[in-house]
């Protein structure tokens, strides 16, 4: 197999050199990946006229990824999304986590410090081929309060038909842990400007309502008759200013949608269409849910790799995952991982063109 293009990208504040790998297929699609946080820096695909363009948000240098990025393109762990009260119980023991989102833990813990979350660590490059990159991270027992020594491998594979496949694998040693892995890429199929004019379809009849701190209340609520209903294509921003409590609390969409598909089976998670460029993104996953986020907290202070400041609505994330706060909600699908078990999951982003 031919090797991926690898180049130095910059040095972290700790003096570690970050590498950027580029995957390419025969059709001209390319994907940039950092060993820092497994960050996807760019995804270049054609529009209906064949013009290539980058359809994801990102920073232009490693310094901004360390200090300014809102998880652009990054891998999330140990636990994507929120854990209420920065603690959970497992086998009768209470595990205390760092609170980095008010009183709660978001995306596994803080961005800085001795043990930052997975999005802000340099991963080991296990392999780097022209169409596939595998990254590995070992998270020690007690890392940010989580039990067990966890080894995670993530493989990005660029397929021939303009699809990026993400395969997650993990195992834990010593004692059981909880695990929720995802990727936090923000998409803008137009390449710049607002993404809120994109059409979005999410095949989910229910979502998880949250409180003001965006912690699930514990119930599943029907999307019927609400601005949360994306079972048929809807313009993302058409209802984002509705006086609907869940929209108001989150400042837009930042909710976990429960997918209408069999448990653990690959199925449709979302489809996004930009009428102007003709680009279409179809997301498939074996995870039970997708967190739909319209970048509500992007405030125009982050310089983007496309040469403009990034504002709310400039990109949308579709984070395939398990439910937030599942370790504290026994009736939610379990996120427990025991020694001797192997966690595996796949998400696929398929890019195409509409008429």
């Amino acid at each position: 197999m031919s090797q991926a293009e690898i180049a130095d990208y910059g040095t972290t504040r700790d003096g570690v050199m970050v590498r950027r790998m580029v995957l390419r297929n025969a059709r001209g699609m390319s994907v940039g990946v950092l060993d820092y946080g497994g960050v996807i820096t760019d995804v270049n695909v054609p529009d209906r006229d064949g013009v290539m363009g980058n359809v994801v948000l990102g920073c232009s240098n490693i310094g901004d990824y360390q200090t300014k990025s809102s998880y652009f393109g990054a891998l999330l762990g140990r636990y994507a999304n929120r854990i209420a009260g920065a603690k959970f119980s497992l086998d009768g023991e209470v595990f205390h986590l760092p609170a980095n989102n008010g009183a709660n833990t978001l995306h596994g813990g803080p961005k800085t410090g001795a043990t930052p979350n997975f999005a802000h660590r340099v991963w080991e490059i296990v392999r780097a081929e022209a169409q596939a990159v595998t990254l590995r991270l070992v998270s020690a027992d007690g890392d940010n309060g989580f039990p067990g020594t966890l080894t995670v491998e993530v493989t990005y594979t660029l397929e021939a038909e303009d699809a990026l496949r993400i395969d997650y694998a993990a195992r834990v040693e010593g004692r059981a842990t909880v695990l929720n892995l995802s990727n936090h890429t923000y998409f803008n199929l137009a390449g710049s400007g607002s993404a809120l004019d994109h059409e979005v379809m999410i095949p989910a009849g229910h979502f998880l309502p949250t409180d003001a701190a965006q912690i699930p209340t514990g119930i599943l609520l029907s999307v019927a008759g609400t601005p949360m209903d994306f079972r048929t294509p809807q313009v993302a921003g058409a209802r984002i200013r509705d006086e609907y409590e869940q929209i108001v609390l989150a400042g837009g969409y930042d909710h976990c949608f429960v997918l209408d598909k069999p448990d653990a089976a690959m199925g449709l998670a979302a489809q996004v269409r930009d009428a102007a460029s003709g680009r279409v993104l179809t997301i498939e996953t074996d995870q039970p849910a997708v967190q739909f986020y319209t970048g509500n907290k992007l405030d125009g202070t982050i310089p983007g790799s496309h040469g403009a400041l990034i504002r709310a609505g400039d990109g949308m994330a579709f984070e395939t995952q398990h439910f937030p706060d599942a370790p504290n909600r026994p009736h939610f699908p379990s996120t427990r991982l025991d020694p001797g078990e192997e966690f595996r999951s796949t998400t696929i982003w398929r890019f195409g063109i509409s008429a």
Side-chain angles (χ1 to χ4, degrees):
M1 294 288 291
S2 58
Q3 297 298 298
E5 301 171 27
I6 305 180
D8 293 346
Y9 187 76
T11 305
T12 69
R13 289 170 295 179
D14 298 327
V16 178
M17 178 57 69
V18 172
R19 311 300 297 279
R20 178 173 177 267
M21 295 149 282
V22 180
L23 311 179
R24 299 186 190 276
N25 68 11
R27 296 160 61 104
M29 179 179 171
S30 67
V31 177
V33 179
L34 301 182
D35 59 0
Y36 178 84
V39 165
I40 295 175
T41 58
D42 52 290
V43 175
N44 295 283
V45 294
D47 64 10
R48 66 162 57 91
D49 298 319
V51 178
M52 302 297 291
N54 178 24
V55 296
V56 304
L57 301 186
C59 299
S60 57
N61 59 77
I62 188 58
D64 284 353
Y65 275 115
Q66 285 197 275
T67 61
K68 297 180 180 180
S69 175
S70 186
Y71 297 97
F72 295 138
L75 297 173
L76 305 177
R78 283 190 191 194
Y79 203 96
N81 219 312
R82 293 170 174 85
I83 294 180
K87 64 181 179 179
F88 65 92
S89 297
L90 194 64
D91 296 333
E93 183 176 355
V94 177
F95 294 93
H96 293 274
L97 315 174
N100 64 322
N101 185 242
N104 310 306
T105 300
L106 175 65
H107 297 329
K111 297 180 180 181
T112 59
T115 57
N117 60 45
F118 288 8
H120 292 82
R121 296 190 200 182
V122 176
W123 293 51
E124 175 191 356
I125 302 173
V126 177
R127 65 167 174 156
E129 299 170 353
Q131 280 86 44
V133 167
T134 299
L135 302 173
R136 178 187 294 145
L137 185 68
V138 178
S139 174
D141 180 32
D143 185 4
N144 280 332
F146 289 94
T149 298
L150 182 76
T151 300
V152 179
E153 289 192 357
V154 178
T155 299
Y156 294 118
T157 303
L158 180 55
E159 299 182 342
E161 298 299 317
D162 287 357
L164 184 67
R165 177 185 176 114
I166 309 175
D167 288 299
Y168 303 88
R171 63 184 185 277
V172 69
E173 297 175 352
R175 51 181 175 167
T177 193
V178 295
L179 181 70
N180 191 24
L181 300 175
S182 190
N183 178 282
H184 204 300
T185 293
Y186 294 77
F187 296 96
N188 183 322
L189 298 183
S192 62
S194 176
L196 295 181
D197 59 354
H198 292 11
E199 286 187 351
V200 173
M201 192 277 285
I202 302 174
H206 295 82
F207 76 102
L208 302 184
T210 69
D211 61 19
Q214 294 180 267
I215 297 297
T217 63
I219 66 171
L220 274 66
L221 197 62
S222 172
V223 301
T226 78
M228 315 303 284
D229 193 347
F230 287 91
R231 291 174 293 179
T232 58
Q234 305 289 327
V235 173
R239 301 168 295 178
I240 203 167
R241 298 187 185 279
D242 282 14
E243 293 184 30
Y244 181 67
E245 182 185 40
Q246 288 297 306
I247 296 287
V248 173
L249 287 175
Y253 294 100
D254 190 4
H255 296 84
C256 183
F257 287 77
V258 182
L259 298 173
D260 296 333
K261 67 177 187 62
D263 184 42
M266 286 296 294
L268 182 65
Q271 189 168 73
V272 189
R273 176 179 177 268
D274 173 42
S277 68
R279 293 187 180 103
V280 177
L281 167 64
T282 302
I283 301 174
E284 302 166 10
T285 190
D286 56 10
Q287 292 290 279
V290 61
Q291 184 84 8
F292 175 43
Y293 178 47
T294 46
N296 315 319
K297 295 181 175 63
L298 300 174
D299 59 3
T301 61
I302 305 172
S305 57
H306 59 306
L309 295 174
I310 298 174
R311 300 186 181 279
D314 282 359
M316 299 184 293
F318 298 86
E319 305 155 56
T320 55
Q321 58 184 256
H322 266 67
F323 295 3
D325 201 33
N328 292 313
R329 303 285 182 173
H331 60 291
F332 283 179
S334 176
T335 54
R336 180 187 178 114
L337 181 65
D338 283 297
E341 297 179 341
E342 185 172 34
F343 171 86
R344 286 192 175 274
S345 179
T346 298
T347 291
I348 302 174
W349 303 339
R350 300 189 188 277
F351 295 90
I353 301 296
S354 64

